[in-house]
Amino acid sequence: SAEVTSSIRLAGFGLSFITWLVVAACCMTAWRLFSSYLQGQIFTAGAAGLLRQTALLGIAAVLIDIVIRPLMVWLVAGMVPAYAKASYYYFSPHDLALLIFLISLFAIAHIFTVAAEMADENAESL
């Protein structure tokens, strides 16, 4: 069996790190969102924008991870048995569930945007 060189390990880490950077950005945005909720800013345009940004970063992280899986297999192709390679080329139910959840968050962000616009219109008419 071939040995995994340090350059292959470094390249694999680099590929994985891309996903982790997007996940970290998503977590930071979610933190800002929940902090704004604690300050009472729930049906505001700013909160809706943060929810939308959180959802989009989450979707990006899932899609990047899906794309990176076959790249990781290609990177270490000599180290993985043929039967194991095929398992990295499909969408798992976990991926689909995450995407459905994140797309739902994105839709809720749109609903919150409309709610914030309606609240602003009502405040102006009073």
Side-chain angles (χ1 to χ4, degrees), residues 15-71:
L15 283 174
S16 294
F17 194 66
I18 294 168
T19 303
W20 283 106
L21 285 175
V22 178
V23 168
C26 182
C27 289
M28 288 173 46
T29 304
W31 181 272
R32 289 177 41 219
L33 171 66
F34 295 135
S35 295
S36 72
Y37 286 165
L38 287 173
Q39 295 170 357
Q41 301 171 5
I42 298 172
F43 291 112
T44 64
L50 286 171
L51 182 58
R52 181 181 303 109
Q53 187 177 1
T54 301
L56 287 174
L57 285 167
I59 291 167
V62 172
L63 294 177
I64 289 168
D65 186 53
I66 290 169
V67 169
I68 284 177
R69 271 185 229 143
L71 293 174

Side-chain angles (χ1 to χ4, degrees), residues 43-45 115-125:
F43 291 112
T44 64
E117 291 170 358
M118 290 173 62
D120 288 344
E121 288 174 9
N122 287 338
E124 288 175 7
S125 66

Side-chain angles (χ1 to χ4, degrees), residues 1 8 16 24-25 45 47-49 55 60 66 68 70 74 86-87 89 96 118:
S1 84
I8 290 175
S16 294
I66 290 169
I68 284 177
W74 174 78
S87 67
Y89 290 100
L96 296 176
M118 290 173 62

Side-chain angles (χ1 to χ4, degrees), residues 73-107:
V73 171
W74 174 78
L75 184 67
V76 295
M79 317 313 153
V80 178
Y83 66 86
K85 291 177 192 174
S87 67
Y88 289 93
Y89 290 100
Y90 69 90
F91 298 104
S92 73
H94 177 75
D95 297 327
L96 296 176
L98 270 173
L99 285 172
I100 290 168
F101 171 74
L102 292 164
I103 290 168
S104 298
L105 276 184
F106 184 79

